[in-house]
Amino acid sequence: MKNKILIIGAGAAGLMAARTLSKSGKQVTVLEARNRLGGRIHTLSDESFFKVTELGAEFIHGDLPVTLNLLNEAGIGYHNANAEMWRYENGAFKENSMVIEDWDLLLKKLNGLEQDTNVWNFIEKEFPGDKYTWLRNSVWSYVSGYDTADPRNASAFALRNEWQHEEMDAQHRIDGGYCSIISYLATECKANSGEIFLNAVVQEIEWKKGNVKVTTDDGSVYEAGQLLIATPLGVLQAAKGETGAIVFTPEIPKYAKAIQQMGFGAVIKLLFEFDTAFWLDRQSHEMADINVDKMGYLFSDEEIPTWWTQAPDHSTVLTGWIGGPAAADKTNTPNTEILEQGLQSLANIFKISFEEMKGKLIAYRIMNWTADPFTRGSYAYDTIEAPVARKILNIPVENTLFFAGEYLYDGTAMGTVEAALTSGLEVAKKMLK
């Protein structure tokens, strides 16, 4: 029992910890609720459509040390995914138009802010009236789209920090997809006698110092000396009785409160494969009046506002993205309806009829991460209370219960796989002490 460790969740954080602990001689058992590994990493690779296309995490945003070291160690390659950012508004395409008017003034006023508040309160107070309508709309779109956060809940201090340290670093995609990292970590864990069980939905954790008993929905019981909880924050925030929700016996009220104080975003991702890359045809060139070949990201005010290509790789796949409150509002929207909203959004942008657009579509996949019971959202963002809550959750409960995940990372790569891997590595080191 002394050497035995249980881990709940086989995403990046859980598997990074499992691999580190098992290599150090610990007896590790990982319980995963899904029928696959990876959590919010979900590469479609062995299907007739969407060859190596990501339903979940997709990019390495910059030269991130833990991710790149792991790739180098595993001998997994990665390639450039830099592409131009365009905008479609008022019937026209605008090349490289990510500059937001009054941005410098916004940062200047943010720098003068002495007490944290939610970013939407700040914006409405400091930038009222018609003059700043565009700025307010841009901030709302950016915070909900990029951070997948609710601007009415997101910390102005945290966003100030993010925006000031934002480097338009190199973007990378992983050869073979993000699942290559997951497979590597799982193989390493198993090579060191680690066990991984799928379809193991944890319902209850009974614990006392130095002893943990975990019960899954099929009545199986697992025991260990220590437990690492590496589920998404959204699952920990689930109400008692909901699918995937976990009951602690005895309760851990201070930790439960901290979990509820953190922000967890909402997102829906759409993958559309077409018979041709119609956005590169002559009509699109003429319409844009410029070279659309380099268009990587396209932002708009459509129902599904954000789209990207696989540029610089040539592909007939378009990825759609909607985050924040607008995605949360669609938690219970059927995929068939989201499919139609996506097609209509593209039809409006490229001035093609809905029926013609639908006729070009040969395959689609929609991942409503917020509706998924074992994720319940996208990734974490900071609320005003989050820094204190994070400190609490990074302290083990009686050296018996530990938490890991991207929401516990405190650095500039928030909400990324890098954040999850870093958290998993750090908590494993803590457990080995």
Side-chain angles (χ1 to χ4, degrees):
M1 183 75 80
K2 203 167 181 56
N3 237 2
K4 196 159 185 194
I5 294 175
L6 274 173
I7 296 175
I8 304 173
L15 289 177
M16 185 67 163
R19 175 260 195 160
T20 308
L21 292 164
S22 61
K23 279 184 88 167
S24 299
K26 297 285 185 186
Q27 193 187 336
V28 176
T29 300
V30 183
L31 305 176
E32 169 54 49
R34 303 175 189 279
N35 61 359
R36 61 171 181 83
L37 302 175
R40 283 164 281 174
I41 288 172
H42 190 8
T43 310
L44 304 178
S45 52
D46 48 354
E47 316 205 359
S48 39
F49 300 101
F50 303 117
K51 295 271 183 261
V52 190
T53 313
E54 305 285 12
L55 259 183
E58 183 163 348
F59 302 99
I60 303 173
H61 298 288
D63 296 323
L64 302 174
V66 178
T67 307
L68 297 187
N69 285 343
L70 193 58
L71 289 172
N72 292 335
E73 178 197 310
I76 300 167
Y78 53 95
H79 54 279
N80 172 29
N82 278 16
E84 290 182 0
M85 295 190 177
W86 286 32
R87 185 159 181 85
Y88 174 80
E89 65 182 354
N90 302 326
F93 288 92
K94 294 184 180 173
E95 197 175 358
N96 287 329
S97 66
M98 286 315 292
V99 180
I100 294 176
E101 277 173 50
D102 300 312
W103 190 253
D104 291 341
L105 180 60
L106 169 65
L107 285 181
K108 189 180 169 188
K109 291 210 172 187
L110 268 174
N111 280 329
L113 190 63
E114 288 177 6
Q115 194 171 353
D116 201 3
T117 180
N118 75 65
V119 77
W120 197 241
N121 266 358
F122 167 80
I123 290 288
E124 290 201 309
K125 180 170 171 274
E126 296 293 338
F127 297 96
D130 293 348
K131 184 185 175 187
Y132 294 114
T133 302
W134 202 81
L135 176 68
R136 289 196 303 276
N137 291 344
S138 298
V139 170
W140 181 278
S141 298
Y142 191 76
V143 174
S144 56
Y146 184 78
D147 297 285
T148 69
D150 186 334
R152 295 161 298 199
N153 201 24
S155 153
F157 277 7
L159 288 164
R160 175 175 73 185
N161 185 44
E162 178 191 314
W163 293 338
Q164 285 178 333
H165 293 96
E166 211 156 32
E167 295 163 35
M168 279 307 170
D169 282 328
Q171 303 278 343
H172 313 286
R173 280 192 179 95
I174 297 172
D175 298 349
Y178 253 118
C179 66
S180 311
I181 284 187
I182 294 298
S183 301
Y184 175 71
L185 291 173
T187 303
E188 288 263 291
C189 173
K190 288 174 183 170
N192 290 287
S193 306
E195 298 177 305
I196 302 173
F197 295 106
L198 299 177
N199 301 305
V201 182
V202 172
Q203 288 189 326
E204 188 181 9
I205 296 165
E206 292 177 73
W207 70 279
K208 61 184 185 212
K209 188 171 178 167
N211 187 280
V212 181
K213 196 162 95 175
V214 168
T215 308
T216 58
D217 64 348
D218 65 356
S220 301
V221 175
Y222 300 85
E223 292 195 58
Q226 289 177 313
L227 171 68
L228 171 58
I229 299 139
T231 64
L233 177 63
V235 173
L236 292 173
Q237 290 179 339
K240 192 176 176 178
E242 289 186 326
T243 306
I246 298 170
V247 174
F248 289 84
T249 309
E251 291 179 354
I252 42 174
K254 190 168 87 168
Y255 291 77
K257 185 183 176 187
I259 283 163
Q260 298 300 337
Q261 286 176 329
M262 302 191 82
F264 198 57
V267 78
I268 301 169
K269 197 170 182 182
L270 302 81
L271 297 182
F272 285 180
E273 188 160 334
F274 294 96
D275 52 3
T276 62
F278 65 84
W279 52 95
L280 298 179
D281 67 17
R282 195 169 55 91
Q283 184 190 334
S284 296
H285 274 257
E286 285 169 4
M287 207 169 71
D289 197 29
I290 30 181
N291 185 0
V292 285
D293 296 19
K294 290 183 180 156
M295 181 181 72
Y297 303 87
L298 181 61
F299 302 93
S300 74
D301 295 322
E302 295 296 331
E303 182 90 20
I304 307 298
T306 303
W307 296 88
W308 62 81
T309 67
Q310 296 288 305
D313 298 340
H314 184 79
S315 165
T316 60
V317 172
L318 280 181
T319 300
W321 176 272
I322 178 170
D329 288 346
K330 294 184 194 295
T331 302
N332 301 313
T333 302
N335 281 351
T336 49
E337 209 173 304
I338 294 168
L339 163 69
E340 292 195 352
Q341 291 169 352
L343 288 171
Q344 188 64 62
S345 297
L346 289 174
N348 294 348
I349 292 168
F350 289 99
K351 299 182 173 56
I352 297 172
S353 75
F354 176 84
E355 287 308 320
E356 192 186 339
M357 186 64 75
K358 194 175 178 181
K360 290 176 178 294
L361 188 72
I362 56 172
Y364 77 93
R365 286 288 297 270
I366 289 165
M367 190 66 211
N368 188 337
W369 286 103
T370 313
D372 179 273
F374 303 123
T375 309
R376 298 182 176 273
S378 53
Y379 39 84
Y381 64 89
D382 268 7
T383 59
I384 298 165
E385 298 96 350
V388 173
R390 189 182 295 114
K391 281 197 175 83
I392 291 167
L393 290 161
N394 272 319
I395 299 166
V397 185
E398 304 257 13
N399 202 37
T400 303
L401 303 180
F402 296 75
F403 293 88
E406 47 84 20
Y407 66 100
L408 293 177
Y409 165 89
D410 194 10
T412 51
M414 264 191 79
T416 61
V417 177
E418 173 81 1
L421 293 170
T422 304
S423 173
L425 187 60
E426 284 176 358
V427 81
K429 288 176 183 169
K430 218 179 274 179
M431 294 174 96
L432 289 168
K433 272 183 187 169

